[in-house]
Amino acid sequence: MKKEALLAESRDPAFRDLILKTPVGEKIPTCMQCGICAGSCPVSHEMDYTPRELVRMVQLGLKQEVLNSNTIWICTTCFSCSVRCPRGIRPTELIEALRPIAIAEGVKNKNARFDSIFSGVVGKNGRASEFLLISKYSLKEPEMIKQVPFGLSLFAKGKLPLSIDKMEDTQELKAIFKMAGKKQEGESKEKEKTQEIPQPQEGAEK
Ligand code: SF4
Ligand code: SF4
């Protein structure tokens, strides 16, 4: 994939410092760009930026590029990169930390939308339903119209059941989702506080 040159002007040191201060960011400055994480990643070919590039972009404070990349949504959290990094950097956890920041920043792309729909379906039913996922996602993504013939062929072969295979008891699962939502909300508020721009004091020198 041809990538655009990333400009020095788009660096945001506050974003970099925010990430580096977290437990997951501690070792990021030690990344030696060996690429073991990218070589271990089963889905890097689908990503805008590989995990190696993402770590480098965080080092540089390229906030917008990081938060708008599809990398943070494509990641399957398989942990291969985190297990194999010779410097003990944990790209999986970095990505998990970046997702709520992207949501709090109002990043909207098709991968973020799919993630939100997937979480909604699983949170409600306890299991993923291909039919619900595809139908809900199609309402949000007009491009999905191109997939109609494929969807119909799956349906004709019985591969797209309309019935939803629900978990019997979803109470505990709902409690987990509620707790995760509260944690995410708390993290976003904390982040807003950290990023608050101090206002000049009255009478202070300009
Ligand atoms: S494996 Fe670790 S040190 Fe190597 S590029 Fe990835 S994050 Fe950096
Ligand atoms: S955890 Fe994510 S980024 Fe790391 S190897 Fe797996 S899919 Fe790739």
Side-chain angles (χ1 to χ4, degrees):
M1 188 194 302
K2 188 171 182 300
K3 291 176 181 166
E4 307 238 331
L6 300 172
L7 303 173
E9 300 88 87
S10 54
R11 290 186 186 185
D12 182 336
F15 171 70
R16 181 200 56 213
D17 295 346
L18 177 76
I19 303 293
L20 298 195
K21 269 188 220 151
T22 65
V24 71
E26 209 179 15
K27 291 190 176 165
I28 285 179
T30 68
C31 173
M32 58 183 173
Q33 290 289 291
C34 66
I36 290 177
C37 52
S40 310
C41 179
V43 288
S44 63
H45 59 284
E46 295 289 342
M47 293 172 166
D48 295 335
Y49 302 102
T50 66
R52 173 188 67 77
E53 291 170 315
L54 194 77
V55 171
R56 181 66 182 139
M57 287 157 67
V58 169
Q59 282 181 337
L60 295 173
L62 296 169
K63 179 179 175 180
Q64 292 310 321
E65 289 78 1
V66 166
L67 296 184
N68 285 289
S69 72
N70 74 5
T71 302
I72 60 176
W73 305 107
I74 296 269
C75 169
T76 60
T77 58
C78 72
F79 287 90
S80 300
C81 53
S82 293
V83 168
R84 293 184 180 156
C85 173
R87 289 280 161 93
I89 296 163
R90 305 193 61 83
T92 320
E93 288 87 335
L94 168 65
I95 287 169
E96 283 181 334
L98 291 168
R99 284 177 183 162
I101 299 178
I103 292 169
E105 293 279 337
V107 167
K108 288 189 175 70
N109 60 35
K110 61 181 183 178
N111 300 290
R113 276 193 282 277
F114 184 81
D115 189 83
S116 154
I117 290 168
F118 184 86
S119 303
V121 169
V122 173
K124 190 168 175 207
N125 303 298
R127 297 197 175 102
S129 147
E130 283 90 353
F131 175 71
L132 274 185
L133 283 175
I134 292 173
S135 50
K136 282 174 180 272
Y137 185 59
S138 301
L139 290 175
K140 303 258 180 188
E141 279 301 320
E143 269 192 17
M144 283 293 285
I145 193 86
K146 293 182 199 154
Q147 301 294 333
V148 168
F150 179 57
L152 289 175
S153 71
L154 285 178
F155 186 66
K157 289 176 187 165
K159 305 266 184 196
L160 201 58
L162 298 183
S163 59
I164 300 158
D165 185 19
K166 271 191 172 186
M167 243 168 87
E168 272 178 28
D169 184 359
T170 54
Q171 291 310 310
E172 285 186 13
L173 183 76
K174 281 182 181 154
I176 292 170
F177 268 74
K178 201 171 164 191
M179 206 183 291
K182 275 192 188 152
K183 187 167 176 276
Q184 192 164 298
E185 207 177 293
E187 280 168 3
S188 302
K189 281 191 184 143
E190 194 53 39
K191 177 182 152 285
E192 275 165 28
K193 255 195 272 165
T194 321
Q195 289 193 325
E196 242 168 48
I197 301 166
Q199 297 301 308
Q201 300 286 313
E202 226 174 279
E205 278 184 29
K206 301 228 167 135

